[in-house]
Amino acid sequence: MPPTSLYLHIPFCRHRCGYCDFNTYAGLDDLMPAYTEALIAEARWLAAAATEQAGQPLPVHTIFLGGGTPSLLPLDAMQRLLAALHEAYAIAADAEISLEANPGTLSLEYLAGLRAAGFNRLSLGVQSASPHELLVLERQHDFTDVINSVMWARQAGFDNLNLDWIFGLPGQSLASWQRNLELAVDLAPEHLSLYALSIEHGTPFKELDTRGLLALPDGDLAAEMYELADVKLAEAGFVQYEISNWAKPGPDGQPLACRHNLQYWRNLPYAGLGAGAHGFMAGHRTANVLAPAAYIKRMREATQAAKQPTLPRTPATASAELVDVQREMGETMMMGLRLVREGVSQDGFAQRFGNTLEQAYGRTITTLQRRGLLEDASGVLRLTQQGRLLGNQVFMEFV
Ligand code: SF4
């Protein structure tokens, strides 16, 4: 059985930032103990169903706690969660076990506890080093919190550290972004994720933007910021391996990519556990009920009723949609092309689908190659430099 990945969603934050459309809530901390129990129950439920089907525990090679702000969960909850996962699944000895954390919610003691519990990769939501930009984003930390978090993470033994940064912020100049990049490099992380600010429906930022009150950089400036990152990070020894992700080379010379996210980009199976979590299991795209209280209620009632598990559903599943081959091929293209070095392998695609890339998408690929957005590099189809800037246009061709 090929190894799968587990995503666990922690939907608690201290404050809802104005740009955020994630399934997360401020002021629900009282639910944390019951939510942790529900998460453990759902993890066990899915494990039991998978074991029943395959006759052996599901092999897992990456675990990712995302949010929200997972680092708001107390240490004993983290320890209970990981212990339950180890009991229920066949977790690889070298599994990547990541946690998203916000600077300002961490201490050396907490990080040392996480490391001892088995977490081996930390992803910090830095977003900006500028006090003004952090204020605009409504973040609850300052850059001193970031410096302390990185220092404590290193002291606690984390040797695989990611920093998330956002560019294209309201009022942000190219000079300010350059300063951000320099400070990001100075912190010496193994991995950097740089995202362009996107204005999402239903957020306060959308409302401000609609009223013309967000001074967003125009498309040209945002593209210059992206290209500056490309140059500055290459100079600092980072290798870009995905549209928004850069990593230092590891011991084998390959970039220290986030193995959990590679599972998504390669369109391979993963379980989504927790309120609003999405998964791709047993050929189905699954989505869980959104509200944490409803999630807890569903898991509690199902556990009491001792229902029988059936893949890919758990009691928290709100929808499970079968993915047909045509859609799976399209998704494999859209996500695989995000991997700017690895791309989509001609052989790999043919082995997986029994259809060559030429048979499935010949005309589309030829058109995109003529437009200078795609290239064939020794049997691997991938974005060109120009294609990285216009990635969304390319991906839409495979929908
Ligand atoms: S801390 Fe992160 S997840 Fe929480 S509201 Fe802000 S952006 Fe969203």
Side-chain angles (χ1 to χ4, degrees):
M1 227 186 324
T4 191
S5 294
L6 303 179
Y7 172 78
L8 285 79
H9 189 69
I10 312 295
F12 306 107
C13 283
R14 282 198 176 146
H15 166 83
R16 255 202 90 93
C17 308
Y19 61 98
C20 178
D21 75 335
F22 294 154
N23 185 42
T24 189
Y25 306 83
L28 291 189
D29 292 11
D30 289 354
L31 291 183
M32 279 182 195
Y35 187 82
T36 306
E37 295 314 310
L39 210 42
I40 289 172
E42 195 190 12
R44 287 187 176 140
W45 190 285
L46 192 88
T51 305
E52 166 100 12
Q53 193 179 73
Q56 57 181 340
L58 189 65
V60 167
H61 68 148
T62 73
I63 299 171
F64 193 101
L65 263 71
T69 308
S71 51
L72 290 180
L73 274 195
L75 193 53
D76 64 322
M78 294 294 193
Q79 290 161 338
R80 281 179 44 66
L81 265 178
L82 280 197
L85 296 181
H86 276 283
E87 260 173 42
Y89 297 90
I91 297 178
D94 68 342
E96 177 190 271
I97 307 182
S98 304
L99 173 93
E100 281 183 342
N102 277 343
T105 64
L106 300 172
S107 66
L108 173 56
E109 195 189 5
Y110 183 74
L111 286 166
L114 290 177
R115 188 71 193 91
F119 287 95
N120 53 27
R121 185 175 187 274
L122 190 70
S123 179
L124 285 177
V126 177
Q127 320 313 359
S128 171
S130 144
H132 173 69
E133 290 167 5
L134 287 171
L135 197 67
V136 169
L137 289 172
E138 301 177 25
R139 300 294 300 199
Q140 304 295 295
H141 65 267
D142 59 25
F143 196 58
T144 305
D145 292 324
V146 174
I147 294 168
N148 286 335
S149 299
V150 170
M151 181 179 72
W152 293 328
R154 295 306 194 195
Q155 286 172 2
F158 281 95
D159 59 4
N160 194 353
L161 185 62
N162 170 58
L163 305 179
D164 276 351
W165 234 274
I166 305 181
F167 64 95
L169 302 179
Q172 191 174 47
S173 64
L174 194 60
S176 168
W177 174 237
Q178 175 158 345
R179 183 74 190 126
N180 270 292
L181 285 170
E182 287 161 0
L183 289 168
V185 167
D186 285 350
L187 289 168
E190 283 69 34
H191 191 286
L192 278 167
S193 297
L194 310 180
Y195 299 106
L197 179 69
S198 108
I199 306 298
E200 304 295 342
H201 285 284
T203 61
F205 267 37
K206 180 69 184 175
E207 173 76 23
L208 289 172
D209 191 35
T210 307
R211 289 161 56 198
L213 298 175
L214 274 189
L216 292 172
D218 63 24
D220 287 347
L221 179 52
E224 269 185 78
M225 289 179 177
Y226 185 73
E227 284 167 333
L228 184 68
D230 202 27
V231 172
K232 290 288 170 199
L233 296 188
E235 283 172 9
F238 286 87
V239 178
Q240 187 181 13
Y241 71 96
E242 196 266 351
I243 284 197
S244 305
N245 287 279
W246 284 256
K248 286 272 175 76
D252 61 357
Q254 294 301 313
L256 265 172
C258 173
R259 288 166 54 201
H260 183 83
N261 286 343
L262 283 177
Q263 188 87 352
Y264 300 155
W265 295 317
R266 291 174 179 159
N267 203 18
L268 295 172
Y270 61 95
L273 305 169
H278 289 243
F280 180 37
M281 287 291 288
H284 290 70
R285 293 261 167 220
T286 63
N288 275 357
V289 60
L290 285 175
Y295 173 77
I296 292 167
K297 186 164 178 276
R298 281 195 184 209
M299 286 315 307
R300 195 177 275 158
E301 287 175 357
T303 307
Q304 282 162 1
K307 286 190 185 163
Q308 280 303 307
T310 46
L311 270 187
R313 286 183 169 271
T314 75
T317 308
S319 67
E321 217 183 315
L322 185 65
V323 177
D324 64 24
V325 176
Q326 197 61 36
R327 178 171 159 196
E328 190 175 334
M329 286 196 299
E331 290 174 348
T332 300
M333 296 302 291
M334 277 171 40
M335 288 186 276
L337 289 173
R338 295 189 63 91
L339 292 167
V340 294
R341 287 156 56 94
E342 181 176 313
V344 177
S345 138
Q346 305 264 11
D347 290 348
F349 187 93
Q351 272 167 24
R352 179 166 174 173
F353 297 109
N355 231 340
T356 64
L357 276 174
E358 173 62 27
Q359 286 165 332
Y361 298 111
R363 240 202 264 156
T364 305
I365 291 170
T366 306
T367 308
L368 290 167
Q369 283 176 324
R370 285 205 190 113
R371 288 173 61 196
L373 302 178
L374 278 186
E375 64 185 7
D376 187 337
S378 316
V380 164
L381 194 68
R382 61 187 193 189
L383 295 174
T384 60
Q385 199 65 30
Q386 176 70 1
R388 294 181 196 188
L389 287 170
L390 301 173
N392 285 339
Q393 286 186 28
V394 176
F395 307 146
M396 287 311 289
E397 296 295 327
F398 298 96
V399 174

